[in-house]
PDB file of all heavy atoms in Angstrom:
ATOM      1  N   MET N  58      -8.131  -0.586   3.719  1.00 96.00           N
ATOM      2  CA  MET N  58      -6.753  -0.117   3.714  1.00 96.00           C
ATOM      3  C   MET N  58      -6.187  -0.261   2.308  1.00 96.00           C
ATOM      4  O   MET N  58      -6.442  -1.256   1.626  1.00 96.00           O
ATOM      5  CB  MET N  58      -5.902  -0.941   4.685  1.00 96.00           C
ATOM      6  CG  MET N  58      -6.345  -0.829   6.129  1.00 96.00           C
ATOM      7  SD  MET N  58      -6.148   0.830   6.789  1.00 96.00           S
ATOM      8  CE  MET N  58      -4.381   1.059   6.645  1.00 96.00           C
ATOM      9  N   GLY N  59      -5.413   0.730   1.910  1.00 97.00           N
ATOM     10  CA  GLY N  59      -4.855   0.692   0.571  1.00 97.00           C
ATOM     11  C   GLY N  59      -3.391   1.075   0.553  1.00 97.00           C
ATOM     12  O   GLY N  59      -2.875   1.679   1.492  1.00 97.00           O
ATOM     13  N   TRP N  60      -2.749   0.673  -0.529  1.00 98.00           N
ATOM     14  CA  TRP N  60      -1.381   1.094  -0.813  1.00 98.00           C
ATOM     15  C   TRP N  60      -1.399   1.854  -2.142  1.00 98.00           C
ATOM     16  O   TRP N  60      -2.002   1.387  -3.115  1.00 98.00           O
ATOM     17  CB  TRP N  60      -0.435  -0.095  -0.919  1.00 98.00           C
ATOM     18  CG  TRP N  60      -0.092  -0.731   0.392  1.00 98.00           C
ATOM     19  CD1 TRP N  60      -0.664  -1.844   0.949  1.00 98.00           C
ATOM     20  CD2 TRP N  60       0.921  -0.303   1.310  1.00 98.00           C
ATOM     21  NE1 TRP N  60      -0.082  -2.126   2.153  1.00 98.00           N
ATOM     22  CE2 TRP N  60       0.908  -1.199   2.399  1.00 98.00           C
ATOM     23  CE3 TRP N  60       1.848   0.736   1.325  1.00 98.00           C
ATOM     24  CZ2 TRP N  60       1.781  -1.072   3.483  1.00 98.00           C
ATOM     25  CZ3 TRP N  60       2.711   0.866   2.406  1.00 98.00           C
ATOM     26  CH2 TRP N  60       2.660  -0.037   3.475  1.00 98.00           C
ATOM     27  N   PHE N  61      -0.737   2.982  -2.150  1.00 98.00           N
ATOM     28  CA  PHE N  61      -0.570   3.784  -3.351  1.00 98.00           C
ATOM     29  C   PHE N  61       0.918   4.078  -3.514  1.00 98.00           C
ATOM     30  O   PHE N  61       1.697   3.901  -2.583  1.00 98.00           O
ATOM     31  CB  PHE N  61      -1.341   5.106  -3.220  1.00 98.00           C
ATOM     32  CG  PHE N  61      -2.836   4.942  -3.255  1.00 98.00           C
ATOM     33  CD1 PHE N  61      -3.519   4.449  -2.157  1.00 98.00           C
ATOM     34  CD2 PHE N  61      -3.560   5.276  -4.382  1.00 98.00           C
ATOM     35  CE1 PHE N  61      -4.894   4.286  -2.171  1.00 98.00           C
ATOM     36  CE2 PHE N  61      -4.935   5.128  -4.423  1.00 98.00           C
ATOM     37  CZ  PHE N  61      -5.603   4.631  -3.315  1.00 98.00           C
ATOM     38  N   GLU N  70      -0.598   6.808  -7.682  1.00 98.00           N
ATOM     39  CA  GLU N  70      -1.421   5.782  -8.311  1.00 98.00           C
ATOM     40  C   GLU N  70      -1.727   4.645  -7.356  1.00 98.00           C
ATOM     41  O   GLU N  70      -0.957   4.353  -6.435  1.00 98.00           O
ATOM     42  CB  GLU N  70      -0.722   5.227  -9.566  1.00 98.00           C
ATOM     43  CG  GLU N  70       0.572   4.497  -9.304  1.00 98.00           C
ATOM     44  CD  GLU N  70       1.134   3.865 -10.576  1.00 98.00           C
ATOM     45  OE1 GLU N  70       0.620   4.134 -11.680  1.00 98.00           O
ATOM     46  OE2 GLU N  70       2.101   3.088 -10.451  1.00 98.00           O
ATOM     47  N   PHE N  71      -2.827   3.997  -7.623  1.00 98.00           N
ATOM     48  CA  PHE N  71      -3.293   2.880  -6.816  1.00 98.00           C
ATOM     49  C   PHE N  71      -2.400   1.663  -7.030  1.00 98.00           C
ATOM     50  O   PHE N  71      -1.974   1.385  -8.153  1.00 98.00           O
ATOM     51  CB  PHE N  71      -4.730   2.562  -7.209  1.00 98.00           C
ATOM     52  CG  PHE N  71      -5.278   1.307  -6.611  1.00 98.00           C
ATOM     53  CD1 PHE N  71      -5.639   1.260  -5.282  1.00 98.00           C
ATOM     54  CD2 PHE N  71      -5.429   0.166  -7.386  1.00 98.00           C
ATOM     55  CE1 PHE N  71      -6.151   0.100  -4.726  1.00 98.00           C
ATOM     56  CE2 PHE N  71      -5.945  -0.996  -6.847  1.00 98.00           C
ATOM     57  CZ  PHE N  71      -6.302  -1.039  -5.514  1.00 98.00           C
ATOM     58  N   VAL N  72      -2.163   0.936  -5.923  1.00 98.00           N
ATOM     59  CA  VAL N  72      -1.394  -0.306  -5.997  1.00 98.00           C
ATOM     60  C   VAL N  72      -2.249  -1.492  -5.563  1.00 98.00           C
ATOM     61  O   VAL N  72      -2.408  -2.467  -6.293  1.00 98.00           O
ATOM     62  CB  VAL N  72      -0.127  -0.231  -5.124  1.00 98.00           C
ATOM     63  CG1 VAL N  72       0.597  -1.576  -5.108  1.00 98.00           C
ATOM     64  CG2 VAL N  72       0.798   0.876  -5.615  1.00 98.00           C
ATOM     65  N   ALA N  73      -2.815  -1.409  -4.371  1.00 98.00           N
ATOM     66  CA  ALA N  73      -3.600  -2.533  -3.843  1.00 98.00           C
ATOM     67  C   ALA N  73      -4.479  -2.045  -2.700  1.00 98.00           C
ATOM     68  O   ALA N  73      -4.185  -1.016  -2.083  1.00 98.00           O
ATOM     69  CB  ALA N  73      -2.684  -3.653  -3.349  1.00 98.00           C
ATOM     70  N   ALA N  74      -5.560  -2.779  -2.432  1.00 98.00           N
ATOM     71  CA  ALA N  74      -6.440  -2.426  -1.328  1.00 98.00           C
ATOM     72  C   ALA N  74      -7.077  -3.664  -0.735  1.00 98.00           C
ATOM     73  O   ALA N  74      -7.291  -4.663  -1.444  1.00 98.00           O
ATOM     74  CB  ALA N  74      -7.525  -1.448  -1.785  1.00 98.00           C
ATOM     75  N   SER N  75      -7.400  -3.582   0.544  1.00 97.00           N
ATOM     76  CA  SER N  75      -8.024  -4.691   1.273  1.00 97.00           C
ATOM     77  C   SER N  75      -9.152  -4.140   2.148  1.00 97.00           C
ATOM     78  O   SER N  75      -8.953  -3.179   2.892  1.00 97.00           O
ATOM     79  CB  SER N  75      -6.973  -5.382   2.146  1.00 97.00           C
ATOM     80  OG  SER N  75      -7.585  -6.303   3.025  1.00 97.00           O
ATOM     81  N   THR N  79     -10.485  -7.654  -2.098  1.00 98.00           N
ATOM     82  CA  THR N  79      -9.080  -7.333  -2.352  1.00 98.00           C
ATOM     83  C   THR N  79      -8.928  -6.927  -3.805  1.00 98.00           C
ATOM     84  O   THR N  79      -9.495  -7.585  -4.689  1.00 98.00           O
ATOM     85  CB  THR N  79      -8.178  -8.529  -2.040  1.00 98.00           C
ATOM     86  OG1 THR N  79      -8.370  -8.921  -0.672  1.00 98.00           O
ATOM     87  CG2 THR N  79      -6.708  -8.171  -2.233  1.00 98.00           C
ATOM     88  N   ARG N  80      -8.187  -5.871  -4.035  1.00 98.00           N
ATOM     89  CA  ARG N  80      -8.060  -5.361  -5.391  1.00 98.00           C
ATOM     90  C   ARG N  80      -6.609  -4.984  -5.643  1.00 98.00           C
ATOM     91  O   ARG N  80      -5.916  -4.496  -4.760  1.00 98.00           O
ATOM     92  CB  ARG N  80      -8.953  -4.137  -5.585  1.00 98.00           C
ATOM     93  CG  ARG N  80      -9.063  -3.642  -7.007  1.00 98.00           C
ATOM     94  CD  ARG N  80      -9.947  -2.410  -7.085  1.00 98.00           C
ATOM     95  NE  ARG N  80     -11.312  -2.680  -6.640  1.00 98.00           N
ATOM     96  CZ  ARG N  80     -12.259  -1.755  -6.623  1.00 98.00           C
ATOM     97  NH1 ARG N  80     -11.994  -0.521  -7.002  1.00 98.00           N
ATOM     98  NH2 ARG N  80     -13.468  -2.061  -6.204  1.00 98.00           N
ATOM     99  N   TYR N  81      -6.165  -5.206  -6.869  1.00 98.00           N
ATOM    100  CA  TYR N  81      -4.803  -4.868  -7.274  1.00 98.00           C
ATOM    101  C   TYR N  81      -4.811  -4.086  -8.580  1.00 98.00           C
ATOM    102  O   TYR N  81      -5.679  -4.287  -9.437  1.00 98.00           O
ATOM    103  CB  TYR N  81      -3.956  -6.130  -7.481  1.00 98.00           C
ATOM    104  CG  TYR N  81      -3.739  -6.945  -6.230  1.00 98.00           C
ATOM    105  CD1 TYR N  81      -4.564  -8.019  -5.928  1.00 98.00           C
ATOM    106  CD2 TYR N  81      -2.701  -6.624  -5.356  1.00 98.00           C
ATOM    107  CE1 TYR N  81      -4.363  -8.765  -4.769  1.00 98.00           C
ATOM    108  CE2 TYR N  81      -2.488  -7.364  -4.199  1.00 98.00           C
ATOM    109  CZ  TYR N  81      -3.336  -8.427  -3.914  1.00 98.00           C
ATOM    110  OH  TYR N  81      -3.128  -9.160  -2.769  1.00 98.00           O
ATOM    111  N   ALA N  82      -3.811  -3.235  -8.720  1.00 98.00           N
ATOM    112  CA  ALA N  82      -3.575  -2.603 -10.011  1.00 98.00           C
ATOM    113  C   ALA N  82      -3.069  -3.667 -10.980  1.00 98.00           C
ATOM    114  O   ALA N  82      -2.371  -4.611 -10.581  1.00 98.00           O
ATOM    115  CB  ALA N  82      -2.546  -1.486  -9.877  1.00 98.00           C
ATOM    116  N   VAL N  85       0.669  -4.669 -10.951  1.00 98.00           N
ATOM    117  CA  VAL N  85       1.285  -5.417  -9.850  1.00 98.00           C
ATOM    118  C   VAL N  85       0.602  -6.760  -9.615  1.00 98.00           C
ATOM    119  O   VAL N  85       1.079  -7.558  -8.798  1.00 98.00           O
ATOM    120  CB  VAL N  85       1.295  -4.601  -8.542  1.00 98.00           C
ATOM    121  CG1 VAL N  85       1.924  -3.241  -8.771  1.00 98.00           C
ATOM    122  CG2 VAL N  85      -0.100  -4.471  -7.948  1.00 98.00           C
ATOM    123  N   PHE N  89       2.524  -8.592  -6.351  1.00 98.00           N
ATOM    124  CA  PHE N  89       2.343  -7.990  -5.036  1.00 98.00           C
ATOM    125  C   PHE N  89       1.172  -8.652  -4.324  1.00 98.00           C
ATOM    126  O   PHE N  89       0.187  -9.063  -4.954  1.00 98.00           O
ATOM    127  CB  PHE N  89       2.045  -6.495  -5.157  1.00 98.00           C
ATOM    128  CG  PHE N  89       3.200  -5.650  -5.638  1.00 98.00           C
ATOM    129  CD1 PHE N  89       4.361  -6.202  -6.145  1.00 98.00           C
ATOM    130  CD2 PHE N  89       3.107  -4.263  -5.587  1.00 98.00           C
ATOM    131  CE1 PHE N  89       5.411  -5.412  -6.583  1.00 98.00           C
ATOM    132  CE2 PHE N  89       4.143  -3.452  -6.018  1.00 98.00           C
ATOM    133  CZ  PHE N  89       5.301  -4.033  -6.521  1.00 98.00           C
ATOM    134  N   THR N  90       1.277  -8.714  -2.993  1.00 98.00           N
ATOM    135  CA  THR N  90       0.192  -9.255  -2.184  1.00 98.00           C
ATOM    136  C   THR N  90      -0.053  -8.345  -0.984  1.00 98.00           C
ATOM    137  O   THR N  90       0.883  -8.047  -0.228  1.00 98.00           O
ATOM    138  CB  THR N  90       0.528 -10.664  -1.678  1.00 98.00           C
ATOM    139  OG1 THR N  90       0.780 -11.522  -2.796  1.00 98.00           O
ATOM    140  CG2 THR N  90      -0.636 -11.240  -0.874  1.00 98.00           C
ATOM    141  N   ILE N  91      -1.299  -7.919  -0.823  1.00 98.00           N
ATOM    142  CA  ILE N  91      -1.677  -7.138   0.342  1.00 98.00           C
ATOM    143  C   ILE N  91      -2.269  -8.076   1.381  1.00 98.00           C
ATOM    144  O   ILE N  91      -3.013  -9.002   1.044  1.00 98.00           O
ATOM    145  CB  ILE N  91      -2.671  -6.005  -0.027  1.00 98.00           C
ATOM    146  CG1 ILE N  91      -2.907  -5.084   1.174  1.00 98.00           C
ATOM    147  CG2 ILE N  91      -3.971  -6.559  -0.571  1.00 98.00           C
ATOM    148  CD1 ILE N  91      -3.701  -3.826   0.832  1.00 98.00           C
ATOM    149  N   TYR N 101       0.123  -5.037   5.314  1.00 98.00           N
ATOM    150  CA  TYR N 101       1.412  -5.330   4.681  1.00 98.00           C
ATOM    151  C   TYR N 101       1.274  -5.329   3.165  1.00 98.00           C
ATOM    152  O   TYR N 101       0.193  -5.568   2.626  1.00 98.00           O
ATOM    153  CB  TYR N 101       1.924  -6.697   5.141  1.00 98.00           C
ATOM    154  CG  TYR N 101       1.978  -6.865   6.638  1.00 98.00           C
ATOM    155  CD1 TYR N 101       0.944  -7.525   7.308  1.00 98.00           C
ATOM    156  CD2 TYR N 101       3.047  -6.381   7.380  1.00 98.00           C
ATOM    157  CE1 TYR N 101       0.981  -7.679   8.678  1.00 98.00           C
ATOM    158  CE2 TYR N 101       3.090  -6.531   8.755  1.00 98.00           C
ATOM    159  CZ  TYR N 101       2.056  -7.175   9.396  1.00 98.00           C
ATOM    160  OH  TYR N 101       2.097  -7.324  10.762  1.00 98.00           O
ATOM    161  N   LEU N 102       2.390  -5.087   2.514  1.00 98.00           N
ATOM    162  CA  LEU N 102       2.453  -5.235   1.064  1.00 98.00           C
ATOM    163  C   LEU N 102       3.713  -6.026   0.748  1.00 98.00           C
ATOM    164  O   LEU N 102       4.829  -5.508   0.881  1.00 98.00           O
ATOM    165  CB  LEU N 102       2.483  -3.871   0.357  1.00 98.00           C
ATOM    166  CG  LEU N 102       2.426  -3.941  -1.160  1.00 98.00           C
ATOM    167  CD1 LEU N 102       1.041  -4.453  -1.613  1.00 98.00           C
ATOM    168  CD2 LEU N 102       2.704  -2.575  -1.788  1.00 98.00           C
ATOM    169  N   GLY N 126     -11.487   0.918  -2.607  1.00 95.00           N
ATOM    170  CA  GLY N 126     -11.529   1.821  -3.742  1.00 95.00           C
ATOM    171  C   GLY N 126     -10.144   1.964  -4.307  1.00 95.00           C
ATOM    172  O   GLY N 126      -9.146   1.620  -3.658  1.00 95.00           O
ATOM    173  N   TYR N 132      -9.852   7.966   0.052  1.00 96.00           N
ATOM    174  CA  TYR N 132      -9.138   7.658   1.283  1.00 96.00           C
ATOM    175  C   TYR N 132      -8.965   8.902   2.148  1.00 96.00           C
ATOM    176  O   TYR N 132      -8.610   9.966   1.652  1.00 96.00           O
ATOM    177  CB  TYR N 132      -7.794   7.006   0.967  1.00 96.00           C
ATOM    178  CG  TYR N 132      -7.999   5.600   0.434  1.00 96.00           C
ATOM    179  CD1 TYR N 132      -8.347   5.384  -0.894  1.00 96.00           C
ATOM    180  CD2 TYR N 132      -7.903   4.491   1.267  1.00 96.00           C
ATOM    181  CE1 TYR N 132      -8.597   4.100  -1.373  1.00 96.00           C
ATOM    182  CE2 TYR N 132      -8.126   3.209   0.798  1.00 96.00           C
ATOM    183  CZ  TYR N 132      -8.473   3.024  -0.523  1.00 96.00           C
ATOM    184  OH  TYR N 132      -8.714   1.754  -0.994  1.00 96.00           O
TER     185      TYR N 132
END
Side-chain angles (χ1 to χ4, degrees):
M58 298 295 299
W60 286 98
F61 290 76
E70 64 175 9
F71 171 75
V72 175
S75 170
T79 302
R80 189 181 299 180
Y81 296 95
V85 307
F89 291 10
T90 302
I91 188 171
Y101 307 98
L102 185 68
Y132 289 80

